[in-house]
């Protein structure tokens, strides 16, 4: 059973997340710069009195995940682009993690991923098993003649833990872990034309605190304290540090912190053969009889 106050915080984080997604859906259109959209997300989270659970991921076409605008990002949405917005909000450490795909044109991948997540969520109830989710999702995707990114999964969430075990795969698996009332988790299928997998690129804009380590550069020491305290050991964007330091100092500080193992990196992930990718994601809490989706728009 989940404590009532904890549930209220998951709900509040989810409500804010849903409002942000609704605003992104209204604002996203060809010609719009993704930096403006990222700043809109950062501003709305702050205005709501919440904090980011991670920097908004805005991943386009064959980029599956983990892209967030660079400090001087000039990328604009183009007609027909498959744009995945993945938004993370936390209230007192309780996380809402949710994504949708915007495309200016009607698209089969987007329609299928939306259908697949609905069926995947429906499989979550007390006593059901993690592997039942993949069964539901894969059924929809196979019926549509499409595929999934096989190495990206849903996951549990916990306080200040944006990825907690177990993972919730989208393809056939033997994970017999049973859902229990009070569990909080995210379901997130990634649909592609045929089964594919996500591979790291050389682009890194997202980092996370790992451990305190001695570093020489004063900016590195300050950045590490920010990663630990201001960003609550959750993922952060390089551009967030530019409010404090110059671009050169930010790059030097992050390089130094990475080399001593004080922070970890989240490189942008690309579909390995450059296939288009559509994503959908919701966070839910398992209830006595089923589940409550915290991040649904129009609540
Ligand atoms: Mn997400
Ligand atoms: Mn997630």
């Amino acid at each position: 059973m989940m404590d009532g106050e904890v549930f209220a915080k998951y709900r509040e984080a989810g409500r804010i997340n849903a409002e942000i997604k609704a605003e992104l859906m209204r604002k996203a259109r060809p010609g719009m710069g993704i930096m403006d959209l990222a700043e809109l997300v950062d501003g709305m989270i702050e205005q709501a009195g919440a904090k980011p659970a991670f920097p908004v991921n805005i991943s386009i076409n064959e980029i599956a995940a983990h892209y967030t605008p660079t400090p001087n990002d000039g990328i604009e949405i183009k007609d027909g682009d498959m744009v995945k917005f993945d938004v993370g909000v936390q209230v007192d450490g309780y996380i809402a993690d949710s994504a949708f795909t915007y495309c200016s044109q009607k698209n089969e991948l987007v329609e299928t991923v939306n259908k697949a997540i609905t069926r995947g969520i429906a499989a979550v109830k007390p006593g059901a098993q993690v592997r039942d989710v993949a069964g539901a999702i894969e059924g929809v995707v196979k019926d549509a003649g499409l595929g999934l990114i096989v190495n990206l999964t849903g996951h549990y969430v916990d306080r200040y833990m944006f990825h907690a075990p177990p993972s919730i795969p989208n393809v056939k698996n033997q994970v017999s872990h049973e859902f229990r009332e009070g569990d909080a988790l995210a379901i997130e299928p990634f649909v592609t034309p045929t089964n594919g997998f996500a591979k790291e690129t050389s682009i890194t804009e997202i980092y996370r605190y790992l451990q305190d380590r001695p570093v020489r550069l004063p900016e590195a020491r300050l950045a590490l304290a920010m990663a630990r305290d201001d960003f609550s050991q959750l993922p952060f964007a390089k551009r967030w540090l530019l409010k404090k330091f110059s671009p050169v100092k930010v790059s030097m500080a992050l390089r130094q912190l990475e080399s001593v193992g004080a922070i970890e990196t989240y490189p942008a992930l690309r579909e390995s053969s450059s296939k288009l990718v559509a994503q959908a994601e919701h966070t839910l809490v398992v209830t006595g009889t089923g589940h409550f989706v915290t991040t649904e728009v129009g609540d």
Side-chain angles (χ1 to χ4, degrees), residues 91-113:
V91 170
D92 196 25
Y94 298 101
I95 290 167
D97 178 5
S98 180
F100 71 97
T101 302
Y102 163 80
C103 184
S104 60
Q105 296 161 14
K106 190 175 151 72
N107 184 284
E108 195 189 15
L109 296 181
V110 178
E111 284 169 8
T112 302
V113 83

Side-chain angles (χ1 to χ4, degrees), residues 54 86 97-98 153-155 157 162-163 186-188 190 279 281-283:
F54 50 80
D86 195 335
D97 178 5
S98 180
T153 68
H155 50 89
V157 293
F162 72 110
H163 281 174
I187 302 292
E188 54 176 318
F190 294 76
Q279 177 200 14
E281 180 177 21
H282 278 298
T283 296

Side-chain angles (χ1 to χ4, degrees), residues 226-244:
M226 286 172 75
R228 187 188 58 218
D229 305 329
D230 300 1
F231 309 143
S232 310
Q233 306 185 23
L234 287 163
F236 64 92
K238 188 191 280 180
R239 65 188 146 78
W240 292 351
L241 297 177
L242 292 171
K243 291 168 189 155
K244 299 268 182 191

Side-chain angles (χ1 to χ4, degrees), residues 2-291:
M2 182 177 278
D3 177 84
E5 268 178 49
V6 169
F7 183 64
K9 287 171 183 172
Y10 272 116
R11 263 187 95 143
E12 175 67 359
R15 186 189 63 75
I16 296 163
N17 190 307
E19 270 180 16
I20 292 168
K21 283 184 298 167
E23 188 62 15
L24 287 170
M25 285 176 203
R26 281 192 287 271
K27 290 270 160 67
R29 59 178 163 69
M32 176 68 80
I34 63 167
M35 180 56 112
D36 291 341
L37 295 169
E39 281 176 346
L40 174 92
V41 173
D42 292 349
M44 282 185 78
I45 292 174
E46 196 181 341
Q47 218 160 32
K51 285 190 162 185
F54 50 80
V56 60
N57 292 199
I58 308 179
S59 309
I60 300 180
N61 295 336
E62 73 277 12
I63 303 298
H66 299 174
Y67 187 83
T68 200
T70 61
N72 291 302
D73 207 300
I75 294 176
E76 292 181 352
I77 296 174
K78 296 193 298 292
D79 195 29
D81 271 353
M82 199 158 294
V83 188
K84 295 157 290 287
F85 291 99
D86 195 335
V87 176
V89 175
Q90 54 112 338
V91 170
D92 196 25
Y94 298 101
I95 290 167
D97 178 5
S98 180
F100 71 97
T101 302
Y102 163 80
C103 184
S104 60
Q105 296 161 14
K106 190 175 151 72
N107 184 284
E108 195 189 15
L109 296 181
V110 178
E111 284 169 8
T112 302
V113 83
N114 290 337
K115 216 179 282 172
I117 192 174
T118 302
R119 288 272 290 279
I121 289 171
V124 177
K125 56 186 179 213
Q129 296 179 358
V130 163
R131 62 183 173 190
D132 300 335
V133 172
I137 287 173
E138 222 173 12
V140 172
V141 174
K142 278 185 175 161
D143 283 351
L146 299 171
L148 287 149
I149 300 279
V150 300
N151 63 334
L152 294 179
T153 68
H155 50 89
Y156 271 60
V157 293
D158 210 336
R159 195 174 184 204
Y160 290 110
M161 283 183 73
F162 72 110
H163 281 174
S167 293
I168 305 173
N170 295 307
V171 294
K172 192 175 169 59
N173 65 85
Q174 295 306 321
V175 182
S176 58
H177 178 93
E178 278 186 16
F179 297 114
R180 283 173 38 189
E181 183 176 3
D183 288 356
L185 53 108
I187 302 292
E188 54 176 318
F190 294 76
V191 170
T192 52
T194 55
N195 274 4
F197 71 98
K199 212 176 130 181
E200 289 186 354
T201 68
S202 59
I203 304 164
T204 300
E205 292 295 330
I206 301 175
Y207 300 82
R208 190 172 77 88
Y209 172 90
L210 275 183
Q211 58 185 328
D212 283 342
R213 301 286 293 163
V215 274
R216 289 178 68 91
L217 193 70
E219 287 83 359
R221 285 201 288 273
L222 266 166
L224 188 58
M226 286 172 75
R228 187 188 58 218
D229 305 329
D230 300 1
F231 309 143
S232 310
Q233 306 185 23
L234 287 163
F236 64 92
K238 188 191 280 180
R239 65 188 146 78
W240 292 351
L241 297 177
L242 292 171
K243 291 168 189 155
K244 299 268 182 191
F245 318 118
S246 72
V248 173
K249 285 283 161 58
V250 168
S251 296
M252 284 173 65
L254 289 171
R255 248 200 322 272
Q256 208 170 91
L257 291 169
E258 193 190 337
S259 71
V260 298
I263 58 172
E264 68 177 332
T265 60
Y266 291 88
L269 300 176
R270 185 175 73 76
E271 201 290 320
S272 65
S273 55
S274 295
K275 290 184 287 219
L276 293 177
V277 181
Q279 177 200 14
E281 180 177 21
H282 278 298
T283 296
L284 37 155
V285 172
V286 180
T287 62
T289 53
H291 57 260

